[in-house]
Amino acid sequence: HMDWSPALVAVSGTMCVSEQKQKKLSAPFVGRRGGMGDGAEVYLDDINKPRQEYYFKPPAFVQRFLERSLHDVRDMEIAWLYWNIITTMYPALIAIWTVLPASNLIGAAYLVGFNVLYMQRFILAMHYSTHKRLFKKEAFFGLADYVNRFNIVLVAPVFGIPCNTYWLHHVVMHHVDNNEWNKDLSATEAYQRDNFLHWMVYWVRFMAGSWVELPYYAFKRRRWDLFAGCAVGM
């Protein structure tokens, strides 16, 4: 008796494939690896995987409130991540400044611990919820336009991102000027990407130069509201 289950068998003109391959085929095809486009196929197969943005769910009454308020209920996991951050990082930060003894070790534990837990998740959530509104316009008694900015105004600073700058830097500047040198301050066109010195120059300019160049960008383009918000936030 021979077991044919591992083999590829043609049935009704369709080739049977592995479960993993079937999941990939049900996901959008992105492209191929390699500069010449001749490498392995790449699929957006993470859309078939469980959502992992958050660590724990909020209480049921908060979930119900969020469900009523969200612009798209598919963004619930992002809202839960923000709940995780607000209910853990902020109490810890307040405790460090008020009741805990002054200690570099406590500060270092806070910095390392919460960055490992949340940094990558928050950056992705902030990017998404800056491009796409998180809450309905009518939510929060019609104040949703302000509440939708809490990610870049209130949460971003605890991750070292200056208050009220991400929208200007990423959406207004980067997506409009599209990596063009002398326009987009985060442009990489003039750098050799495999050159460590070039990377250092880019990093230093980004970390230090943004404090001056970003407000100047808004000023030069007469975006007075963004200039004021950026200058005050920094």
Side-chain angles (χ1 to χ4, degrees):
H1 174 72
M2 182 174 293
D3 182 11
W4 291 95
S5 58
L8 296 177
V9 182
V11 179
S12 300
T14 302
M15 187 70 75
C16 294
V17 297
S18 68
E19 182 179 354
Q20 183 180 8
K21 184 67 174 180
Q22 287 177 346
K23 287 183 176 180
K24 283 189 174 182
L25 292 176
S26 67
F29 174 67
V30 177
R32 290 183 176 273
R33 296 182 184 275
M36 301 299 293
D38 55 356
E41 295 178 347
V42 178
Y43 292 86
L44 193 63
D45 55 349
D46 57 348
I47 64 173
N48 296 317
K49 297 179 180 178
R51 300 282 293 271
Q52 297 181 355
E53 290 95 326
Y54 65 98
Y55 289 104
F56 57 89
K57 297 180 181 180
F61 74 94
V62 175
Q63 294 184 43
R64 290 193 295 270
F65 172 78
L66 291 172
E67 188 173 353
R68 294 194 303 269
S69 304
L70 287 173
H71 180 71
D72 188 336
V73 294
R74 291 176 298 179
D75 297 334
M76 184 68 75
E77 286 80 1
I78 294 177
W80 290 349
L81 170 64
Y82 285 133
W83 172 265
N84 291 179
I85 293 171
I86 291 170
T87 56
T88 56
M89 287 191 72
Y90 282 89
L93 185 61
I94 293 170
I96 287 175
W97 283 97
T98 57
V99 298
L100 294 177
S103 168
N104 290 333
L105 288 177
I106 293 176
Y110 172 90
L111 181 65
V112 174
F114 282 116
N115 274 277
V116 169
L117 284 173
Y118 291 131
M119 174 63 86
Q120 184 182 34
R121 297 165 189 263
F122 169 69
I123 296 297
L124 291 172
M126 178 177 64
H127 176 259
Y128 177 84
S129 57
T130 300
H131 278 288
K132 182 177 180 289
R133 67 167 45 246
L134 193 59
F135 297 107
K136 300 174 183 177
K137 285 189 175 183
E138 60 271 20
F140 298 97
F141 306 101
L143 299 175
D145 284 345
Y146 298 99
V147 177
N148 277 321
R149 297 177 65 84
F150 84 101
N151 56 347
I152 62 173
V153 174
L154 297 178
V155 186
V158 299
F159 290 96
I161 301 171
C163 172
N164 210 33
T165 59
Y166 186 77
W167 171 270
L168 170 60
H169 188 283
H170 183 73
V171 178
V172 176
M173 180 187 69
H174 178 65
H175 278 289
V176 172
D177 291 322
N178 197 28
N179 203 38
E180 186 175 346
W181 186 249
N182 287 329
K183 289 186 177 182
D184 181 352
L185 304 180
S186 56
T188 58
E189 283 185 335
Y191 300 103
Q192 183 67 32
R193 297 193 181 194
D194 59 355
N195 186 309
F196 180 74
L197 180 61
H198 282 207
W199 178 83
M200 283 295 297
V201 171
Y202 174 84
W203 183 83
V204 170
R205 181 189 178 191
F206 183 85
M207 296 298 292
S210 294
W211 295 87
V212 176
E213 292 185 272
L214 192 57
Y216 177 68
Y217 176 91
F219 180 85
K220 186 168 64 174
R221 282 159 176 71
R222 301 179 182 274
R223 299 293 299 268
W224 308 121
D225 56 335
L226 295 175
F227 169 75
C230 179
V232 171
M234 285 184 160

